[in-house]
Amino acid sequence: DSGVTQTPKHLITATGQRVTLRCSPRSGDLSVYWYQQSLDQGLQFLIHYYNGEERAKGNILERFSAQQFPDLHSELNLSSLELGDSALYFCASSVDPGLAGGGKETQYFGPGTRLLVL
Amino acid sequence: AQTVTQSQPEMSVQEAETVTLSCTYDTSENNYYLFWYKQPPSRQMILVIRQEAYKQQNATENRFSVNFQKAAKSFSLKISDSQLGDTAMYFCAFMAPEYGNKLVFGAGTILRVKS
């Protein structure tokens, strides 16, 4: 158990719908990262939040958005869902990327949310 | 752009034997980190081992060790005394502070341990 929690574990929804994925980082971790794992694209970085602020964006669609709340949990919102959005969505956390070294930069992953869009 | 290449899509090994998974990467950065993650059938991503690029000494974690060749940009994973529970997809990953500390993953290698 990495200490990172994600809910729900599974989501089945229809095209055009909107869903919210939730992540709670390990205790003491300030950074949250979101990744998407799909068969055709592999593991792709979506977005990074540090202590409530957006730090970096990857290949995240405009239909997707995220935020990190004062209690450091994060939510990934996916809207106008398409069949191609079906994937495993991971959240990862680390202590502080600015204090790299000694393992503080290492990302620990949650169990993921499996999204199926029908 | 940083890229990570895992040239072995699938590998198999007999229980108790040793196996080496290959990984190469491309970067112009000098400060970076390399990781191996394991993804068993449960799909959980589990950290196996990490290496800091400024350290010449190869990292080891019990039965897992790496061969880090910085000049060659190579980062292979050696699993000794393979166990059935090692059966999983293994991902090599690269991270550089200059690029926002995002993990860049290779395509993965499926490892099957046979009894």
Side-chain angles (χ1 to χ4, degrees), chain B residues 55 70 91:
Chain B
K55 286 188 177 179
K70 190 171 184 178
F91 291 97

Side-chain angles (χ1 to χ4, degrees), chain A residues 2 33 35 37 43 45 48 56 88 90 97 100-103 105-111 114, chain B residues 33 35 37 39 41-45 47 50 52 54 91 95 97 99-103 105-106:
Chain A
S2 67
Y33 304 79
Y35 294 88
Q37 185 178 28
L43 272 157
F45 166 73
H48 168 211
L88 182 54
F90 285 109
E105 78 299 322
T106 299
Q107 294 179 29
Y108 294 89
F109 282 73
R114 299 190 193 192
Chain B
Y33 301 82
F35 305 86
Y37 284 89
Q39 188 176 43
S42 67
R43 307 296 297 277
Q44 171 79 48
M45 291 288 286
L47 176 70
R50 61 183 283 277
E52 298 166 7
Y54 62 85
F91 291 97
M95 172 204 287
Y99 291 91
N101 285 309
K102 66 178 183 183
L103 287 168
F105 289 91

